[in-house]
Amino acid sequence: MKVRIIGIVVLLCTLLYMPRAEAQEGDAELMTRRYSESYDSLLNSYYMRRFAHHHLRSSSSFSLEEFDALPDSVFETRMRALHTVVPMAMNSEVRAHIRLYLRIMSRRLDLTLMQRERFFPLFEEALDRYGVPDEVKYLTIVESALNPEATSRVGAAGLWQFMYNTGRVYDLEVNSVLDERRDPVKASYAAARYLSDLHRVFNDWTLAIAAYNCGPGNINKAIARSGGKRDFWQIYYNLPRETRGYIPSLIAVIYVMNYYETHGLRPGRLEMPVRTDTVVVHRDVLMHYVAQATGLEMEALRALNPQYRVDLVPASSGSLAITLPTNKVEPFLRMQDSISKWSADSLLRRPVKVTPAGKSSTKGGSGHYYTVRKGDTLSSIARKHGISVATLKKRNGLKGDNIRVGQKLKV
């Protein structure tokens, strides 16, 4: 217990001067703008550009006039029915945030629900392990719009928007090749631990969540300036501007994600563009060879593994996981030893050309041969094998750009 208390004291000292930047705008506008920025970044990510951007089908009959006519008692009744541990206060600030989130969700609900399906089971498991209320999983919508690649203007990163120093305190490695703040699994368990520790400090979930945003030092300052009061709404005006909007935003998101249909939001059914699984590696692996051996595009592989900053999985110092589409796990496992060997050879000496697994290919003469498949072009084949189109043409004596399915090309 003594060690635990000392650890918390060290944590408080470490985080005392780590508040997030404030902005000169309304609290509700600030928080929803931050959500929108993370959402727009998610929409521009690889899989969303290839899939969701063209399939968003939500519709809305949401009416601001009808919303404004509802008395607070309606919202209070609905919130009580959610049976949350975190108090769901209803006041003018919360109402303003609900109004804004309903408006911005009217065009963003499909993708948010799809990401919820992808990540919430992971969040629920992590939060449950450390005794954090289940509804805190909605904090990730406020923080990052469920975008694992989200980065704030002050350097917070990942689904849970860890700052650098806080991440290091909670065993998230951050260096020139690896940023585990962007690892959905490790960051979720780190966030659950952090929130659990903050609750031990304040014995209040609302204050613990507020401290997650601005640091426990700022909460203690607000408590002191408020004459020792320890209720979020009583210390509200002594908090940093962003933190004042943080709790209302969380309450609003919890409400909206449970009652969006009541307000006329009708999401389409948006399936995940790819189902994934993870494989654990124990040796350094270059993403280049993972992509070529499995037939994945590099951009797709990077999107699934945002924690690796330079296309290297530095697993020689400890086990690390690679996320792959489910149908690519078997080809990876089949070629794992070869991938590790090619990676080691490339890291120590020179690049090695790899023929993708699952492709029809034969080896003969002094090189590899690739069998053309439907949809292939000279450009796509050259790119997959790390050569130029001119080199590909020269090796195969091609004058024009025409190739045919089944044709074998020396690569």
Side-chain angles (χ1 to χ4, degrees):
M1 178 63 70
K2 184 177 180 180
V3 173
R4 187 68 169 176
I5 293 172
I6 292 172
I8 293 175
V9 172
V10 171
L11 170 65
L12 288 173
C13 294
T14 302
L15 301 181
L16 184 59
Y17 297 105
M18 289 169 37
R20 297 187 181 174
E22 296 183 12
Q24 302 301 314
E25 56 185 307
D27 300 342
E29 287 82 358
L30 170 61
M31 298 305 298
T32 53
R33 179 179 58 77
R34 196 170 90 182
Y35 165 86
S36 297
E37 288 174 352
S38 294
Y39 177 92
D40 291 343
S41 172
L42 176 63
L43 198 60
N44 288 323
S45 65
Y46 174 82
Y47 282 109
M48 298 306 104
R49 290 201 317 270
R50 296 288 299 270
F51 178 78
H53 188 68
H54 304 291
H55 294 77
L56 297 177
R57 302 186 296 273
S58 59
S59 60
S60 173
S61 57
F62 171 64
S63 166
L64 290 175
E65 291 75 15
E66 291 179 6
F67 177 89
D68 291 340
L70 289 173
D72 284 356
S73 59
V74 171
F75 296 99
E76 291 168 352
T77 300
R78 292 171 182 170
M79 288 174 174
R80 282 196 298 271
L82 295 176
H83 302 295
T84 61
V85 174
V86 177
M88 297 282 283
M90 183 61 199
N91 54 42
S92 60
E93 289 296 329
V94 171
R95 188 181 185 110
H97 282 74
I98 293 175
R99 191 178 193 270
L100 272 172
Y101 271 103
L102 281 169
R103 193 176 69 192
I104 65 174
M105 282 292 185
S106 65
R107 297 178 57 190
R108 295 169 169 85
L109 190 58
D110 282 345
L111 183 51
T112 302
L113 292 177
M114 185 187 75
Q115 291 293 85
R116 181 177 72 172
E117 180 182 340
R118 176 184 177 188
F119 289 120
F120 271 23
L122 165 62
F123 301 159
E124 290 161 1
E125 182 179 329
L127 295 172
D128 181 67
R129 176 175 295 187
Y130 290 96
V132 181
D134 180 79
E135 61 268 22
V136 177
K137 63 193 177 188
Y138 291 101
L139 199 61
T140 53
I141 297 178
V142 178
E143 287 282 1
S144 65
L146 295 173
N147 179 4
E149 299 182 54
T151 302
S152 77
R153 289 171 296 170
V154 294
L159 287 162
W160 292 91
Q161 290 289 281
F162 270 102
M163 295 293 286
Y164 174 85
N165 286 338
T166 317
R168 293 297 296 269
V169 169
Y170 283 88
D171 303 319
L172 296 178
E173 189 170 354
V174 182
N175 54 46
S176 58
V177 298
L178 178 65
D179 187 348
E180 291 185 334
R181 296 175 301 169
R182 303 180 189 279
D183 184 317
V185 176
K186 292 186 177 181
S188 295
Y189 281 90
R193 285 175 54 204
Y194 184 21
L195 286 159
S196 178
D197 282 346
L198 290 170
H199 183 258
R200 287 188 181 92
V201 173
F202 295 106
N203 196 33
D204 180 284
W205 280 115
T206 306
L207 292 182
I209 294 166
Y212 186 89
N213 174 257
C214 67
N218 281 308
I219 300 299
N220 283 327
K221 288 178 185 177
I223 290 172
R225 291 167 181 166
S226 304
K229 295 182 175 67
R230 300 182 65 86
D231 177 87
F232 175 82
W233 299 104
Q234 291 180 321
I235 68 173
Y236 180 84
Y237 289 105
N238 288 308
L239 291 167
R241 181 178 296 275
E242 182 178 317
T243 309
R244 292 204 299 266
Y246 197 66
I247 296 301
S249 273
L250 174 61
I251 295 172
V253 167
I254 294 173
Y255 175 87
V256 170
M257 296 307 290
N258 283 278
Y259 289 109
Y260 56 83
E261 289 185 323
T262 304
H263 291 278
L265 274 60
R266 301 287 185 269
R269 178 63 179 171
L270 192 61
E271 299 289 345
M272 280 292 296
V274 59
R275 298 291 175 179
T276 63
D277 203 348
T278 57
V279 293
V280 177
V281 295
H282 307 280
R283 290 179 284 178
D284 289 347
V285 170
L286 286 168
M287 290 289 200
H288 172 74
Y289 295 114
V290 176
Q292 289 198 0
T294 59
L296 269 176
E297 294 182 53
M298 274 297 295
E299 194 177 358
L301 189 58
R302 289 171 183 147
L304 293 175
N305 297 275
Q307 65 269 36
Y308 301 118
R309 305 174 77 169
V310 292
D311 297 336
L312 168 67
V313 183
S316 58
S317 58
S319 301
L320 290 172
I322 303 174
T323 300
L324 296 168
T326 303
N327 65 342
K328 299 298 183 181
V329 171
E330 191 278 330
F332 175 87
L333 294 175
R334 187 171 67 246
M335 298 188 71
Q336 185 172 4
D337 289 341
S338 297
I339 292 169
S340 297
K341 180 179 180 299
W342 292 326
S343 297
D345 183 69
S346 182
L347 288 167
L348 291 174
R349 292 176 295 183
R350 66 185 192 282
V352 176
K353 297 294 185 290
V354 182
T355 301
K359 306 287 187 181
S360 299
S361 62
T362 58
K363 188 175 181 181
S366 59
H368 291 281
Y369 287 83
Y370 174 82
T371 302
V372 177
R373 301 178 65 182
K374 183 178 180 181
D376 281 339
T377 64
L378 288 178
S379 178
S380 67
I381 295 170
R383 185 170 59 251
K384 287 176 183 177
H385 294 85
I387 59 177
S388 67
V389 173
T391 299
L392 183 60
K393 286 185 175 181
K394 183 176 180 181
R395 288 180 181 176
N396 292 277
L398 299 175
K399 302 299 183 183
D401 295 329
N402 293 328
I403 53 177
R404 65 181 185 280
V405 175
Q407 180 179 357
K408 287 183 170 55
L409 296 177
K410 186 175 181 180
V411 295

